[in-house]
Amino acid sequence: MALTMLCLTLVVFFLINLNPNLKKLAISQTEMHTSAEQLEDWLVNHGYRQNFFARYGQWLGLLPKQPATDPATGKPAQRFSFCNDPVVPQFSGVLQGDFGCSTKFKTTVAAKLFPALGATGLLMFWVLAVMVPISLLIGILAGMREGSRTDRTLSVASIASTATPEYVSGVIFTVIFASWLGWLNGSAASASQGLTFYNFTLPVMTLAIYGTGYIARMTRASMVEVMTQQYIRTARLKGLSFGSVVVKHALRNALIAPFTVIMLQFPWLLTGVVIVEVMFRYQGFGYTLVEAAGNNDIDLLLGCSLVSVFIVLITQLISDVGYAFLNPRIRVQ
């Protein structure tokens, strides 16, 4: 995991620090009519023209971070005054808890990124609280009697929800529940001051509907496979009722595969919230990522990328370990 994270962050660091992005950053931090020579001087003075691997090592905290150079005096100075950057070389990078400075929001990356992650974490919690029980119930009901009317109806509904992306369902829900009926607020911007049913339901519904169909279909497939096993037939032949067989024998084994799928929803939610948070103006991780990308906020983009890579890797680890514990056929040698 550490090697994977190192390689991915190296690739992202390279792409974000391409020369066109650096020039756009220099323009945004100076003036639109600044000459090419002045832009180059700004990049040199702020350390963006150092060796690529030296800058990567400084960002990680493996090499001492170099201060900027005051163009008037030629002496060391803070790179960005709003971050209280050091004026002497020192180890200050990701490993030391310093994620850099946000040139868009004029503060440290940590001060902007972690509150945004907290807001998105709250959104993801309510999405999972709605999505997981409903999708498991739909999948179990559909898979109990394969080919029945209930199975066909729930399967069609699941496929329809999965085939509808967030930016479509979000618009539909906003038109129906916010514009026509007026039951809900089409903007979740006020949710940062306090969550209410009125301002938080639409983003939760938009994310939950899309993920519900996928988990329900996987649960149905697993349930159908379990219901055809020999031990299920044996239990029925012993005289156990259908409900007892489902609850005591089939349900536990049928939920092993959906557990892996549920854990893999976390990386998907990180990408899904980018669309939903911008659509409903909810200032979480996705909104912050879009603002950083649109304003060439290099350090904030790197922080968002690091968090994304970490969440993907850690959820996959939990998924693999959890599957090994839940599945009695798997034994760790």
Side-chain angles (χ1 to χ4, degrees):
M1 288 176 62
L3 181 60
T4 302
M5 181 173 291
L6 183 67
C7 294
L8 289 176
T9 54
L10 180 63
V11 172
V12 172
F13 191 88
F14 171 76
L15 294 175
I16 292 177
N17 283 277
L18 290 174
N19 194 53
N21 295 333
L22 295 180
K23 287 187 176 180
K24 291 178 182 178
L25 174 64
I27 293 173
S28 66
Q29 296 301 303
T30 53
E31 297 179 359
M32 292 297 295
H33 300 291
T34 303
S35 65
E37 291 77 10
Q38 291 173 319
L39 293 177
E40 185 64 24
D41 289 340
W42 187 91
L43 291 173
V44 171
N45 292 333
H46 285 76
Y48 289 102
R49 291 309 190 195
Q50 297 181 60
N51 178 269
F52 170 78
F53 291 102
R55 289 192 55 223
Y56 180 67
Q58 292 171 14
W59 177 72
L60 287 179
L62 299 176
L63 296 175
K65 183 180 291 185
Q66 301 298 318
T69 303
D70 189 339
T73 63
K75 296 181 179 180
Q78 292 180 328
R79 293 177 67 243
F80 300 105
S81 59
F82 47 82
C83 282
N84 295 320
D85 270 352
V87 295
V88 294
Q90 67 179 43
F91 290 90
S92 180
V94 172
L95 297 178
Q96 290 80 25
D98 180 10
F99 292 86
C101 299
S102 171
T103 54
K104 159 64 179 175
F105 297 99
K106 306 300 181 183
T107 184
T108 61
V109 169
K112 182 61 183 177
L113 180 59
F114 292 117
L117 276 175
T120 295
L122 190 61
L123 175 60
M124 292 171 66
F125 169 79
W126 285 109
V127 169
L128 291 171
V130 172
M131 179 175 66
V132 173
I134 294 176
S135 59
L136 290 179
L137 179 61
I138 292 174
I140 291 170
L141 291 176
M144 284 170 53
R145 298 186 183 276
E146 183 183 10
S148 64
R149 181 178 298 178
T150 300
D151 178 26
R152 292 196 299 269
T153 303
L154 294 177
S155 296
V156 169
S158 300
I159 294 173
S161 66
T162 306
T164 308
E166 302 95 330
Y167 54 85
V168 174
S169 59
V171 171
I172 294 174
F173 291 152
T174 301
V175 170
I176 295 175
F177 295 104
S179 300
W180 290 356
L181 301 177
W183 294 348
L184 303 173
N185 191 355
S187 171
S190 59
S192 57
Q193 281 74 42
L195 298 181
T196 63
F197 182 84
Y198 180 68
N199 66 13
F200 206 56
T201 301
L202 280 180
V204 172
M205 284 176 55
T206 302
L207 284 170
I209 288 294
Y210 183 80
T212 296
Y214 181 61
I215 299 177
R217 290 171 60 200
M218 296 298 295
T219 305
R220 176 198 173 276
S222 180
M223 192 71 181
V224 168
E225 181 182 359
V226 169
M227 292 300 292
T228 60
Q229 297 298 314
Q230 185 63 43
Y231 66 89
I232 298 294
R233 296 194 188 99
T234 303
R236 292 300 306 276
L237 291 174
K238 287 182 177 180
L240 294 178
S241 65
F242 183 78
S244 178
V245 169
V246 170
V247 174
K248 293 183 178 180
H249 298 278
L251 195 56
R252 179 185 175 185
N253 292 323
L255 293 179
I256 294 176
F259 169 78
T260 305
V261 177
I262 291 170
M263 292 307 303
L264 295 179
Q265 296 304 301
F266 285 91
W268 164 76
L269 283 174
L270 272 184
T271 59
V273 295
V274 173
I275 298 173
V276 172
E277 287 183 358
V278 172
M279 180 181 296
F280 294 104
R281 290 182 287 176
Y282 183 69
Q283 298 189 15
F285 177 81
Y287 176 86
T288 302
L289 177 60
V290 171
E291 287 293 305
N295 293 275
N296 300 289
D297 195 336
I298 289 179
D299 285 348
L300 185 55
L301 270 174
L302 289 171
C304 292
S305 302
L306 183 65
V307 168
S308 301
V309 170
F310 176 78
I311 291 179
V312 170
L313 292 177
I314 201 68
T315 51
Q316 288 185 345
L317 174 65
I318 295 174
S319 173
D320 292 342
V321 174
Y323 190 86
F325 277 102
L326 289 175
N327 194 336
R329 292 170 294 183
I330 295 178
R331 292 292 180 265
V332 180
Q333 297 298 327

